[in-house]
Amino acid sequence: MKRPTIDREKLTDGAYALGWSAVKKLPEPVAKALGRRIADMVWKRRGKGILRLEANLARVVPDATPQRLAQLSRAGMRSYLRYWMESFRLPAWSKERIRGGFAPADVHHLVDGLKSGRGVILALPHMGNYDLAGAWVTTKLGVPFTTVAERLKPETLYDRFVAYREGLGMEVLPHTGGAAFGILARRLRAGGLVCLVADRDLSASGIEVKFFGEAAKMPAGPAMLAVQTGAMLLPVTLWYDGSPVMRGRVHPEIEVPQTGTRAEKAATMTQEMADAFASGIADHPEDWHMLQRLWLGDLEPRGRAERAGADGADGVPADEARTDARRTERS
């Protein structure tokens, strides 16, 4: 008798649908306990994601013993599941809860930038809960913003993520399609806010940076948008401190260099962005949710070719940015 085939895409979509519908109805203590339990179960299995997380953390904390790395990876999975549990429940949070759920330091960089009318780009690594940070911006500051989301499979799952984030007050553009950079540039020229997750871009067009002493790639989009539009580029890092409130820091502006070509300026700024990310990740390594390969030294030559153009990040990829930069410059 032939076994029925499993549609993994439908299974994935169903799992997320269950999370959004069921977890947000749980009492908060129950949801937190469930998140920790799932995190510990996944951590104990020592799967590929956990091993990759520990290998990444070994770069961040180079003097860590195996026992210390195991502690960090367990804390990292608990942080990661806290992100998911909060995200599933976030649509049901009151405005007061959202306003009190995030306490960023140095937020004056963002407020002053928006007042200047130049437009602001917030660039974030995969730390803490950037959806909560985004909801705080739209709720506490009353500022809408535009972001970019990678197209997920199945398409119904991508639609769920878009609907979820739009429900929090975000404008969401697809990662592919060739028009994202131009729309982002228009939003910035109008004095708007753009938020991009930008600590990983393994496509052929990502900008190479030194990250914790080794070569990695990050998307050129944030820097190229700043160069093209004159908007402020502000890195942001996020973390948890054991309390119900997420913490964060808005780092000082990364200024556009006075000399060099557009590409050279973008490369310099992307390195500064990577340095800002590294400072926050080094302080709070357990809240960096990087369970994938990041450093070029971890990629086999064949793996690099397979990933080229197909394994980027939420930040606008460099080739799309360069093409649309030329378009918007002419418009």
Side-chain angles (χ1 to χ4, degrees):
M1 183 175 178
K2 187 176 180 181
R3 293 182 179 180
T5 58
I6 298 176
D7 190 326
R8 295 188 180 277
E9 291 188 356
K10 287 185 178 180
L11 189 63
T12 300
D13 182 50
Y16 280 101
L18 179 63
W20 266 303
S21 62
V23 173
K24 67 182 179 181
K25 298 177 182 178
L26 295 174
E28 187 160 341
V30 175
K32 288 181 177 179
L34 177 62
R36 288 193 298 270
R37 188 176 306 163
I38 294 172
D40 289 346
M41 287 174 57
V42 172
W43 178 79
K44 288 178 181 178
R45 290 176 183 172
R46 308 293 294 165
K48 290 182 179 179
I50 302 301
L51 297 178
R52 174 49 47 196
L53 176 60
E54 290 184 3
N56 290 340
L57 289 171
R59 259 77 169 229
V60 177
V61 190
D63 59 347
T65 63
Q67 293 76 15
R68 175 57 177 155
L69 288 176
Q71 291 172 351
L72 283 173
S73 66
R74 184 178 188 181
M77 286 308 299
R78 287 187 170 189
S79 174
Y80 188 40
L81 263 294
R82 175 173 171 174
Y83 157 73
W84 279 111
M85 289 297 167
E86 285 181 347
S87 294
F88 286 144
R89 296 172 57 80
L90 201 51
W93 281 19
S94 67
K95 289 184 177 180
E96 291 73 20
R97 176 67 189 281
I98 292 173
R99 292 188 189 108
F102 180 41
D106 300 328
V107 74
H108 65 276
H109 293 304
L110 170 58
V111 174
D112 293 345
L114 292 170
K115 287 181 179 178
S116 73
R118 291 172 53 193
V120 176
I121 306 152
L122 296 181
L124 306 91
H126 286 81
M127 289 187 78
N129 187 341
Y130 36 81
D131 287 328
L132 172 56
W136 183 89
V137 168
T138 60
T139 305
K140 176 74 172 181
L141 301 184
V143 177
F145 66 87
T146 304
T147 188
V148 175
E150 183 178 358
R151 281 200 173 275
L152 303 171
K153 291 185 179 181
E155 193 74 15
T156 51
L157 180 57
Y158 171 77
D159 291 341
R160 287 184 192 278
F161 272 98
V162 170
Y164 158 67
R165 287 175 172 147
E166 288 181 340
L168 298 176
M170 312 175 193
E171 178 188 22
V172 183
L173 305 178
H175 184 269
T176 56
F181 187 93
I183 296 173
L184 295 174
R186 288 197 291 274
R187 300 291 183 269
L188 292 168
R189 286 196 176 103
L193 177 64
V194 165
C195 300
L196 299 171
V197 180
D199 57 345
R200 183 173 183 264
D201 186 348
L202 301 184
S203 71
S205 54
I207 291 182
E208 187 170 319
V209 296
K210 282 291 183 182
F211 195 53
F212 290 100
E214 295 188 39
K217 282 190 173 183
M218 295 188 180
M224 292 192 73
L225 281 166
V227 172
Q228 181 71 19
T229 67
M232 295 178 66
L233 174 55
L234 302 176
V236 177
T237 50
L238 309 170
W239 65 90
Y240 298 117
D241 65 354
S243 74
V245 179
M246 184 176 70
R247 307 293 172 176
R249 180 191 174 201
V250 181
H251 295 252
E253 178 185 2
I254 297 175
E255 297 183 356
V256 178
Q258 295 296 315
T259 60
T261 65
R262 184 180 290 116
E264 289 169 344
K265 292 177 180 179
T268 298
M269 296 174 72
T270 303
Q271 181 62 65
E272 291 186 37
M273 180 183 75
D275 293 341
F277 290 168
S279 69
I281 292 168
D283 288 341
H284 307 280
E286 67 277 10
D287 292 311
W288 186 43
H289 308 147
M290 185 55 66
L291 281 71
Q292 301 85 25
R293 297 177 188 271
L294 173 68
W295 282 273
L296 301 185
D298 289 337
L299 303 175
E300 298 177 359
R302 181 180 177 184
R304 295 185 197 184
E306 289 173 348
R307 290 175 175 82
D311 194 4
D314 291 342
V316 182
D319 52 355
E320 181 178 322
R322 292 185 184 114
T323 300
D324 284 328
R326 291 191 288 270
R327 291 175 184 163
T328 56
E329 192 173 48
R330 292 193 296 264
S331 62

